Amino acid sequence: MTDTRGPQAPDEAEAKPDAGTEKPAQPYQPPQAYAAPTGPGAPRGGGAAATTQRKPRTPVRTAPRTRKARLRVAKADPWSVMKVSFLLSIALGICTIVAAAVLWMVMDAMGVFSTVGGTISEATGSNEGNGFDLQSFMSLPRVLVFTSVIAVIDVVLATALATLGAFIYNLSAGFVGGVELTLAEDE
């Protein structure tokens, strides 16, 4: 059988009990991973507590290294561009409708439609008629329908233009190589 414990100290390897010689029993001392510190910063007093203390490690300062990668966008997939532009233009259309409704409510609460409507009514009125009624023309349902039509047209046009832009980019990237990007890792 082989000993797999590695090299041993000479007193452990050759320590065979002799029948006639007795050694005084000493407490077990585990092997130390680091040698006892010496010099001006070493602990004083010598005992077992002094040999178990070690100096704290000082952190090593190195210059930060930023990794960089140069990438080239050689092709934009028109199908994925169409899907992304469709979703973004739907979100923009919803935001447009909500913003128009909020703006109308704020302007109505401030009395803008009644004031401007009265002025337009006086300017366009004649002896027989009252003139143009801005408040009935600019009602909230009518404004929301008009805004919704504009939002739907925007969704269709933005999706079509983005997809066409992807086709044009792929054609031009075939000639000039595409757009080059340099990406750096942030610390």
Side-chain angles (χ1 to χ4, degrees), residues 46-122:
T51 60
T52 58
Q53 292 181 354
R54 35 185 161 132
K55 260 184 168 175
R57 289 185 178 179
T58 57
V60 177
R61 298 244 175 197
T62 60
R65 202 178 104 176
T66 304
R67 294 189 312 177
K68 291 183 180 180
R70 291 189 66 175
L71 301 174
R72 185 170 45 110
V73 181
K75 184 180 185 238
D77 185 29
W79 177 249
S80 65
V81 168
M82 186 183 79
K83 290 188 292 186
V84 169
S85 65
F86 178 71
L87 289 177
L88 289 177
S89 59
I90 282 182
L92 181 66
I94 291 171
C95 289
T96 303
I97 293 170
V98 169
V102 169
L103 184 64
W104 187 91
M105 287 181 209
V106 168
M107 289 175 68
D108 188 45
M110 289 174 27
V112 172
F113 295 125
S114 60
T115 306
V116 174
T119 305
I120 290 177
S121 220
E122 288 176 12

Side-chain angles (χ1 to χ4, degrees), residues 109-173:
M110 289 174 27
V112 172
F113 295 125
S114 60
T115 306
V116 174
T119 305
I120 290 177
S121 220
E122 288 176 12
T124 60
S126 62
N127 293 338
E128 296 114 23
N130 292 339
F132 182 72
D133 188 15
L134 182 67
Q135 286 179 318
S136 65
F137 182 74
M138 295 288 289
S139 65
L140 181 62
R142 188 174 281 187
V143 168
L144 290 181
V145 166
F146 180 72
T147 307
S148 299
V149 169
I150 296 296
V152 168
I153 291 171
D154 178 50
V155 166
V156 172
L157 284 178
T159 304
L161 286 175
T163 307
L164 182 64
F167 278 115
I168 292 172
Y169 176 79
N170 289 339
L171 287 175
S172 64

